[in-house]
Amino acid sequence: MTRPRAASDRFVAQLPDRIRSQVEIVHSPLLEIKPMAVPVETDDTAGLIFSSANGVNSAAMLDVDRTLPAYCIGPATSDAAIAAGWNAQMAGLTAEELITNLTHTPPPGPLLHLRGEHSRGGIAEHLTRSGLLTREQPVYRQQLLPLSDEASLAGESDRPVIAPLFSPRTARQFADVWAGTAPLWLIAISAPTAEPLNSLASEQLKIASEPTPDKMQKAVKKLVKHVMRVEGKSGAD
């Protein structure tokens, strides 16, 4: 598991018991999320955009105005925003869908996109260009991390390794730091996430049918069953 530990634990806990019993869970977070102690001005803002639960959590720590409506990417981000006290709605499964939906049915503006220091999609730029004034502000940093010792050891074994990747930046880091010789089976949450993984010698690279935790869980379940059949092993890392 390459996500920060809390997110990985939530993901694993939602897998069926029979799947968890067939694998050894190895944790190797490749990003460390660090909220930024910055002021967030919302006096001229009519709504917020959240593209990740990390943005929601950082905004909550900064006590950003909870009376503003929030437009979110994906169900996990929407659920996190609602749990934190915002009147939130999912505006798309991807940045592209959010831009399209908010452009076709624009909410009152201006909007403020609270994001990580490294961000894809150009949400604020695209929305502003379409006529919906949107500014952006980083509220957390994403520090890259090396593979954990446990993950490096797993890569040196002859047991199959299944690695779910949840973002393009994490996938790029995984491609850069992976030096294992174990049979490698990869799952990417989206096509952009899969792109940097093409440089790795893997048995299979599967892309989730939608960029959601639910579809990633289904992809993991299917791949675990497939690997067990193909490899004929008693377990996988």
Side-chain angles (χ1 to χ4, degrees):
M1 296 303 299
T2 58
R3 305 179 85 187
R5 184 59 184 261
S8 288
D9 285 343
R10 287 194 299 271
F11 184 85
V12 171
Q14 292 172 349
L15 292 172
D17 291 342
R18 68 181 183 279
I19 295 296
R20 293 201 303 271
S21 69
Q22 292 177 311
V23 299
E24 174 189 352
I25 305 299
V26 174
H27 290 278
S28 183
L30 295 180
L31 285 179
E32 182 179 8
I33 303 302
K34 293 187 173 183
M36 301 166 65
V38 293
V40 178
E41 299 293 339
T42 58
D43 290 346
D44 62 345
T45 301
L48 304 173
I49 295 175
F50 291 123
S51 47
S52 73
N54 292 321
V56 172
N57 296 335
S58 298
M61 291 180 63
L62 294 169
D63 200 25
V64 175
D65 189 352
R66 301 295 211 284
T67 67
L68 293 170
Y71 308 97
C72 304
I73 295 177
T77 304
S78 304
D79 290 346
I82 291 169
W86 276 283
N87 177 18
Q89 61 179 278
M90 188 176 76
L93 290 174
T94 63
E96 292 77 12
E97 285 187 9
L98 177 138
I99 291 167
T100 297
N101 292 335
L102 294 187
T103 298
H104 287 173
T105 310
L111 303 181
L112 171 61
H113 179 201
L114 297 176
R115 60 171 180 80
E117 197 171 36
H118 298 274
S119 180
R120 298 179 67 258
I123 291 173
E125 178 183 355
H126 280 90
L127 289 176
T128 297
R129 196 159 52 222
S130 73
L132 179 57
L133 182 62
T134 304
R135 61 189 178 92
E136 59 184 353
Q137 180 176 344
V139 290
Y140 64 93
R141 294 188 173 93
Q142 307 114 306
Q143 181 177 327
L144 294 173
L145 299 174
L147 280 181
S148 67
D149 292 341
E150 189 180 11
S152 294
L153 286 173
E156 294 170 1
S157 75
D158 60 355
R159 301 172 68 197
V161 172
I162 298 172
L165 283 306
F166 291 83
S167 73
R169 192 157 188 256
T170 302
R172 284 194 298 273
Q173 177 67 354
F174 185 83
D176 287 343
V177 300
W178 178 259
T181 55
L184 181 62
W185 302 75
L186 299 168
I187 308 169
I189 196 169
S190 64
T193 301
E195 186 175 349
L197 301 174
N198 287 318
S199 63
L200 295 173
S202 64
E203 304 296 320
Q204 183 176 335
L205 170 55
K206 181 177 180 61
I207 301 175
S209 58
E210 288 183 349
T212 65
D214 179 62
K215 297 301 184 183
M216 280 293 281
Q217 287 156 13
K218 289 182 179 179
V220 168
K221 288 186 286 187
K222 289 181 180 179
L223 192 57
V224 168
K225 293 177 182 177
H226 179 69
V227 171
M228 297 294 287
R229 289 196 302 269
V230 171
E231 297 288 341
K233 302 289 186 180
S234 60
D237 293 318

